[in-house]
Amino acid sequence: MLADTRARDRPSTRTHAGSGARYLPHNLQRFPICGAKLDFWPFTPQIRHSDQLRGKSVSLQSFSSEQSRVIVNLEQAYQVWMEALRTLNGLPYNMRIKEVSGREYLYEVTDRLGTMKSKGPVNEQKLAEFDEYKAEKAALKERLAQSKATLKEQASLYRALRLPMLPTEAGKILREADRMRFLGQQAMVVGTNALVAYALEANAFIRDAPDATLDFDLALTAVETDDDWPTLWKVLKEVDMTYTVNSERPFQARNAKAYEVEILAAPSRVGGQATRDRPRPVPLPEQEWLLEGRPIDRVVGVQDGEAARLVVPDPRWFALHKLWMAEKPERNPQKKPKDAKQGVALLNAVWLTMPHYKLDADFRDTLPAELLPHFERWDAQKPAG
C-alpha cells in the first residue's frame, strides 16, 4: 500500500508524524489550469512505505491529485501541438509567384536556402492552389502557436510541481525524433531516462531508483528499414549540428557539450537501420529481452520547461535486464550499484502500482534462464502488496 502524500496547504514548517519529512514554508501559488485557478502546496514530503513483515523498505511517493491532473493535461497539450507541427511540416516550405520573361509562374520553395521548383504558369487553377496553401498555412501556424502556449503553460505547472523530468538535451532529441516519426517506429529509449516514464506509469516517485545520467541510450525496434524513413543521424543533426561519431566507439555520437548518444540493437533488429545511418550499433543478444512484453508510451516534462514523448520497454523486462547487468562481469563497476538499485526499485514499483503488468507464475514461465534467478531472488524478498 502506498503512503498518501497528497499536497496540502501548509502555512508553516511542520514534520509529518513518523516520516521525518519536513514541509518547507512557502507562499501558496496560483496557477491556471484549463481556465481555472488552483491553489496548491507545491512541495510534498517523502514518506517511506515500510514492509514490516519482511524487514524491507520501499520508497514510493504517490503523486497528488494536482500532480496527476497536470500529467494528463500535459500529454493532451503535447499531442495537439505535435499534430499541428507535423501537419505544418507536411506542407511545402513556401510557395511564390514569380515573373519570368513577362509571364507569371507558381514556384514551390523546397528549403530554407530558397531552392525552388516550378509548378507551371499561373492560371485560375494555380491561383486557387496558391490561395488555398496560404490560407491553410496561416491557420496551421495559428493553431501551432495556440497549442504551443498551452503546452508551455502545462509544462511550467509540471515543473513547479517537481514531477520527474528529463534532461534538456534528451528532450530535444526526443521531440525531433517524434516529429520525424523515428521514435516508436524505429527506436525506443532504453537507458536511465526510461525511469521517468516508469514513474508516471506508477503514478508515484520511485525514490530508490537513481535517475541521474549524462548520456542517452536508444535501441532499434524496426525489423526492416525503408528508404523513406528518417535516419538517426538526420534526427541528431536537426537537433544539433555539432554531433559527431566517436571514432573510438562507433555506436556513440557526441555534441560540443560532450552529451553522449548511444545506439543499441538486438541482433534481430540490426536490419532495421539504414546502411547510410550513423552511429552504428553493436548487436547485443541481451537487447532481445527489452523487445518482450508491452512498451510504455508517456509524455513527460523536460528541465528546460518543454515536454517530450518517451517510448520505453516493458518495465518488468527492463528491471530484470538491469539486475542482470549488475552482475555482468564486463559491466563498468561504477555502474553496477546503480543497475541493482534501479532493477529492484522498479520491480517493487511494478508489483505495488502496476497491476496491469503481472509478476505472476505465467510471467515467470516466459523468462529465459539468464533472468530467472534474478526474478526468483526478488520474488522471495518482494514487499507485501
Side-chain angles (χ1 to χ4, degrees), residues 196-211:
V196 178
Y198 297 139
L200 266 61
E201 190 72 14
N203 199 43
F205 296 98
I206 307 174
R207 296 299 192 189
D208 287 337
D211 59 1

Side-chain angles (χ1 to χ4, degrees), residues 218-379:
L218 286 168
L220 299 178
T221 56
V223 177
E224 298 177 341
T225 188
D226 188 304
D227 290 340
D228 293 332
W229 287 356
T231 62
L232 172 60
W233 194 239
K234 181 173 178 58
V235 170
L236 293 178
K237 286 295 188 178
E238 287 289 327
V239 172
D240 186 344
M241 287 297 294
T242 69
Y243 273 108
T244 59
V245 175
N246 184 347
S247 58
E248 297 181 354
R249 308 181 76 188
F251 56 88
Q252 181 187 88
R254 295 179 295 191
N255 67 4
K257 299 177 183 177
Y259 191 75
E260 298 176 348
V261 178
E262 294 188 359
I263 185 72
L264 311 172
S268 65
R269 297 299 189 269
V270 173
Q273 186 182 39
T275 55
R276 69 184 186 282
D277 199 6
R278 294 181 289 170
R280 304 298 298 181
V282 176
L284 298 171
E286 60 266 28
Q287 284 293 313
E288 297 285 356
W289 302 332
L290 299 182
L291 299 170
E292 299 290 342
R294 304 189 311 277
I296 285 176
D297 189 329
R298 303 299 299 242
V299 173
V300 306
V302 182
Q303 290 174 357
D304 61 359
E306 300 284 348
R309 177 176 166 233
L310 271 173
V311 179
V312 300
D314 183 304
R316 301 166 297 181
W317 290 90
F318 183 91
L320 290 170
H321 175 259
K322 281 289 184 179
L323 293 177
W324 178 85
M325 290 287 287
E327 296 184 6
K328 185 179 180 181
E330 301 85 359
R331 182 68 164 165
N332 184 331
Q334 279 75 43
K335 295 184 177 181
K336 288 186 176 184
K338 184 178 75 170
D339 291 333
K341 288 181 180 179
Q342 289 176 344
V344 171
L346 183 53
L347 280 177
N348 288 340
V350 173
W351 172 247
L352 293 169
T353 67
M354 305 181 201
H356 47 301
Y357 285 99
K358 302 294 185 182
L359 287 166
D360 54 14
D362 289 340
F363 173 72
R364 179 189 181 281
D365 291 342
T366 66
L367 297 176
E370 297 92 335
L371 297 183
L372 187 57
H374 300 287
F375 177 80
E376 291 180 337
R377 281 200 295 270
W378 169 82
D379 190 52

Side-chain angles (χ1 to χ4, degrees), residues 20-213:
R22 298 184 67 82
Y23 291 90
L24 303 178
H26 194 280
N27 293 331
L28 288 179
Q29 299 188 26
R30 297 177 67 86
F31 293 97
I33 295 183
C34 299
K37 296 288 185 180
L38 171 68
D39 289 337
F40 66 87
W41 184 256
F43 306 111
T44 55
Q46 177 178 342
I47 301 177
R48 301 182 72 84
H49 164 73
S50 295
D51 182 0
Q52 302 293 345
L53 293 177
R54 302 179 187 272
K56 303 293 290 183
S57 182
V58 180
S59 184
L60 286 171
Q61 180 183 329
S62 58
F63 295 152
S64 69
S65 57
E66 290 84 3
Q67 289 170 323
S68 298
R69 180 162 57 250
V70 167
I71 289 170
V72 172
N73 290 342
L74 182 75
E75 181 163 354
Q76 292 174 347
Y78 178 87
Q79 290 172 347
V80 172
W81 171 75
M82 180 56 68
E83 180 185 8
L85 180 62
R86 286 173 173 169
T87 305
L88 182 61
N89 289 165
L91 294 180
Y93 186 80
N94 202 357
M95 293 182 75
R96 294 176 183 170
I97 293 178
K98 183 179 179 181
E99 185 175 317
V100 178
S101 301
R103 188 171 187 183
E104 291 184 327
Y105 290 82
L106 179 62
Y107 283 87
E108 178 182 328
V109 182
T110 59
D111 56 38
R112 66 186 67 182
L113 299 177
T115 306
M116 296 191 296
K117 63 178 181 180
S118 175
K119 297 179 71 68
V122 171
N123 53 29
E124 186 174 335
Q125 181 180 353
K126 289 291 190 294
L127 278 176
E129 181 182 349
F130 180 68
D131 291 341
E132 182 181 352
Y133 165 79
K134 289 295 185 183
E136 183 179 8
K137 185 175 181 179
L140 281 171
K141 290 179 73 172
E142 176 64 22
R143 180 175 175 81
L144 184 65
Q146 292 178 356
S147 61
K148 181 65 172 181
T150 302
L151 179 60
K152 290 284 287 185
E153 176 184 315
Q154 296 305 318
S156 295
L157 289 173
Y158 185 105
R159 185 174 183 178
L161 285 167
R162 295 189 172 183
L163 286 159
M165 290 189 294
L166 285 173
T168 297
E169 294 300 319
K172 292 177 181 178
I173 295 170
L174 285 168
R175 282 191 296 274
E176 191 61 30
D178 194 21
R179 181 186 73 83
M180 298 175 70
R181 301 184 189 277
F182 180 85
L183 181 66
Q185 180 173 300
Q186 298 183 67
M188 63 180 171
V189 177
V190 295
T192 295
N193 289 299
L195 290 168
V196 178
Y198 297 139
L200 266 61
E201 190 72 14
N203 199 43
F205 296 98
I206 307 174
R207 296 299 192 189
D208 287 337
D211 59 1
T213 182

